[in-house]
Amino acid sequence: MVDKSEKFNWLVRVGYFSRAVLYIVLGFIALTSAGRVSEGTEGIFRAVEELPAGTALLWVLVVGLAAYALFRLASPLFDIENNGSDAKGWAMRIGHAGSAIAHVALAWTAYQFATGQPSSGGQGASQAAAGVLSIQFGDVVIGLLGIAFFVAAAAQARKGISGKFMQRISPAAPDATRWVGAAGYLARAVVFVVIGWSLIETGFLASGAGNVKTLGDAVASLADTGWLFTVTAIGLLLFGLFSLILARYRIIPELDPSGRVPNFRA
């Protein structure tokens, strides 16, 4: 019988693998197909669909992204990572909740493509933002979410520069892991800034829900920046490779008797 620790281990590793596929495809199409990257997040899943055994891979993404979302959601609900209930702890747990929502959205888009019912990821984000804007103080909520993305961008950049993420990776990992991870985190920081600014514009500057950018849209918006677009695309491709390394070499502690993961950071 598979115990809870082994199930948790596989859940996290499948999540990392799914993230790897997303970023490898995103980086690849950004570098090779300007037209495809302009389709935003939808273009990522269409590219996966066109791969050999693409439908099967889409179903792997559905399961992996949903599992990763559930793992992230367990942090704010049950504090399985022992972040605590002080201001810093709740900030981290709320950030994980945001990650859970983002991965649920990605899993849903993958599901639509897997079942032959794709819809525009960009329109979905705009519709969701419009719904939030329609409620009282919805603009403030979206603006604050934009600020949260700026904070997340700073955290990604700090990880890339410091290299502290290597403390949670097996020594058996490839020698280049440190630099591949650093490039990936810095590229994600750039993308998070773009997404954060789109949310701040929508919430605080009333630019309209259609301005909200998803992962693919954010990369597409950099297409006219020349070297920055190219460097970011390469970094995102490397982040996909880094996530693939994590799927194999990430040190994942066992669950303790209470079902929590001591000092775990994903």
Side-chain angles (χ1 to χ4, degrees):
M1 178 177 288
V2 180
D3 62 22
K4 288 194 299 182
S5 289
E6 188 171 347
K7 289 179 180 178
F8 175 77
N9 186 301
W10 276 104
L11 177 140
V12 176
R13 295 195 189 281
V14 172
Y16 279 129
F17 174 79
S18 299
R19 192 176 75 175
V21 172
L22 277 178
Y23 278 93
I24 288 172
V25 172
L26 174 58
F28 180 76
I29 63 176
L31 290 169
T32 61
S33 176
R36 177 57 61 83
V37 76
S38 67
E39 298 175 18
T41 303
E42 185 181 54
I44 302 172
F45 291 104
R46 182 169 288 113
V48 173
E49 185 180 38
E50 294 172 356
L51 293 172
T55 300
L57 185 54
L58 282 169
W59 280 111
V60 172
L61 289 175
V62 172
V63 174
L65 293 169
Y68 194 75
L70 289 174
F71 159 66
R72 279 309 193 189
L73 190 60
S75 177
L77 292 180
F78 308 112
D79 193 21
I80 65 168
E81 302 175 63
N82 294 322
N83 289 313
S85 298
D86 58 8
K88 181 179 179 181
W90 270 111
M92 297 183 67
R93 291 165 70 178
I94 291 172
H96 292 161
S99 176
I101 294 171
H103 282 86
V104 166
L106 289 169
W108 173 247
T109 304
Y111 172 80
Q112 290 179 307
F113 272 88
T115 55
Q117 300 175 343
S119 64
S120 172
Q123 289 182 5
S126 298
Q127 291 170 359
V132 175
L133 288 172
S134 68
I135 65 175
Q136 189 175 21
F137 302 120
D139 54 345
V140 175
V141 171
I142 290 180
L144 291 175
L145 184 58
I147 293 174
F149 264 94
F150 270 51
V151 173
Q156 295 289 298
R158 186 169 61 248
K159 281 184 179 181
I161 294 170
S162 70
K164 288 184 177 180
F165 56 86
M166 290 299 297
Q167 298 173 0
R168 300 183 291 274
I169 298 176
S170 168
D175 294 338
T177 298
R178 163 69 176 92
W179 305 111
V180 171
Y185 278 122
L186 291 172
R188 281 233 299 180
V190 173
V191 174
F192 282 11
V193 166
V194 174
I195 295 174
W197 179 244
S198 75
L199 291 166
I200 289 174
E201 283 188 312
T202 299
F204 294 148
L205 304 179
S207 65
N211 188 59
V212 173
K213 291 179 172 58
T214 60
L215 177 62
D217 303 320
V219 176
S221 71
L222 297 171
D224 294 329
T225 62
W227 68 268
L228 179 60
F229 173 75
T230 302
V231 170
T232 301
I234 293 172
L236 294 174
L237 178 59
L238 291 174
F239 188 78
L241 295 176
F242 175 66
S243 297
L244 201 59
I245 293 171
L246 290 179
R248 172 63 180 85
Y249 294 104
R250 179 65 163 81
I251 298 172
I252 302 177
E254 295 184 358
L255 294 172
D256 65 22
S258 68
R260 293 187 176 185
V261 187
N263 301 318
F264 183 83
R265 297 287 185 274

